[in-house]
Amino acid sequence: MKLTSDQIIIIEKYLDKDGIFYDDIKTEMIDHIAAAIEEQLNENTKDVNISIKTYMNSHLKVKLLSNIKQQEELRDKQNRKFVLKQFYSFRGLLFFGVVFGLVFLSTLNIWVYRFIEGIMMLLMLLILVGQKWLDINFPFFKRLVHISQFYYLLPFLLLTQVHRFVDETNFILLCRVVALSMGLTGYYLTYRSSLILQNNKYV
């Protein structure tokens, strides 16, 4: 017995609660579950909705979900590597160089520097408090930031705290300029990576 589109939607609603992010992985899981339920229905005449509910609350679904989560972790790892590679690309190095130059020049005027620093703080604040807005408008960008920001925001945070350990004013300023440039470059490259990966259907 073949499941109808309405019955497939019921399965999708169950899976929405499990937080599966990648569409192709979710589609693969739906196909697998639908095939399993159809096989059960061929063997007996149970109500379709009861069969769906029974399967979705069974150990079979739990085991399948565990495998799916592992697939998502592998996909996240691949995407994280892709984002980090952008830092060493020509575009990434060029963007960092341009941003570093602008931020360094801005130190000649403290208000301009504070303005650029404020932009970085606003971006970090947006990531922290704008979760729902990002979920609706930029879900894949949010996902990439979540899985990769540690690798460029940790150096950013460390460099901004250098003043606690050394007294050389010029060195501290240079560290802050590098940190700010790295943070802004990281967000730019993450956003650009999200567009590339989406176009290549890696979402």
Side-chain angles (χ1 to χ4, degrees), residues 6-202:
D6 288 338
Q7 291 160 348
I8 296 294
I9 289 173
I10 293 174
I11 296 174
E12 288 183 20
K13 288 180 178 178
Y14 272 103
L15 294 182
D16 285 341
K17 299 175 184 177
D18 294 316
I20 300 170
F21 180 79
Y22 295 102
D23 290 341
D24 59 332
I25 294 178
K26 185 177 179 180
T27 300
E28 181 184 332
M29 188 173 182
I30 290 171
D31 291 342
H32 183 93
I33 292 172
I37 292 172
E38 287 169 358
E39 186 177 341
Q40 289 178 3
L41 291 172
N42 288 333
E43 294 174 358
N44 57 65
T45 56
K46 274 202 305 186
D47 180 80
V48 176
N49 291 330
I50 292 176
S51 295
I52 292 174
K53 186 175 181 180
T54 301
Y55 186 93
M56 298 308 286
N57 290 290
S58 71
H59 73 283
L60 295 174
K61 187 253 187 173
V62 173
K63 185 177 179 180
L64 179 60
L65 184 60
S66 177
N67 292 332
I68 291 298
K69 290 298 182 182
Q70 290 179 7
Q71 287 186 44
E72 289 211 309
E73 287 176 7
L74 289 174
R75 181 70 61 82
D76 283 341
K77 187 176 181 180
Q78 292 173 350
N79 290 341
R80 180 168 58 245
K81 284 183 178 179
F82 182 84
V83 173
L84 296 177
K85 280 182 180 179
Q86 302 311 302
F87 279 88
Y88 305 103
S89 67
F90 175 76
R91 181 187 291 268
L93 293 172
L94 178 63
F95 187 87
F96 175 82
V98 171
V99 172
F100 177 83
L102 291 173
V103 175
F104 188 78
L105 288 175
S106 75
T107 59
L108 300 175
N109 185 316
I110 189 62
W111 295 112
V112 176
Y113 176 77
R114 293 300 182 198
F115 175 75
I116 296 175
E117 197 173 40
I119 292 175
M120 180 61 189
M121 295 303 114
L122 284 173
L123 285 172
M124 293 180 69
L125 189 63
L126 175 65
I127 299 299
L128 289 173
V129 303
Q131 299 289 314
K132 290 184 178 179
W133 182 80
L134 287 171
D135 275 335
I136 296 170
N137 296 285
F138 303 100
F140 193 49
F141 170 69
K142 178 193 168 185
R143 181 83 173 195
L144 287 184
V145 169
H146 175 71
I147 64 177
S148 63
Q149 65 177 340
F150 172 82
Y151 295 90
Y152 59 84
L153 283 188
L154 179 61
F156 167 81
L157 294 172
L158 289 175
L159 287 169
T160 55
Q161 298 303 310
V162 166
H163 68 279
R164 297 179 181 273
F165 309 103
V166 297
D167 296 323
E168 299 178 39
T169 305
N170 290 336
F171 179 70
I172 293 172
L173 182 60
L174 179 61
C175 286
R176 288 190 170 186
V177 170
V178 171
L180 192 53
S181 304
M182 186 180 296
L184 292 170
T185 301
Y187 281 127
Y188 164 73
L189 293 177
T190 303
Y191 177 70
R192 184 171 181 274
S193 296
S194 71
L195 299 179
I196 295 172
L197 291 170
Q198 282 178 308
N199 289 335
N200 289 329
K201 303 186 186 303
Y202 285 130

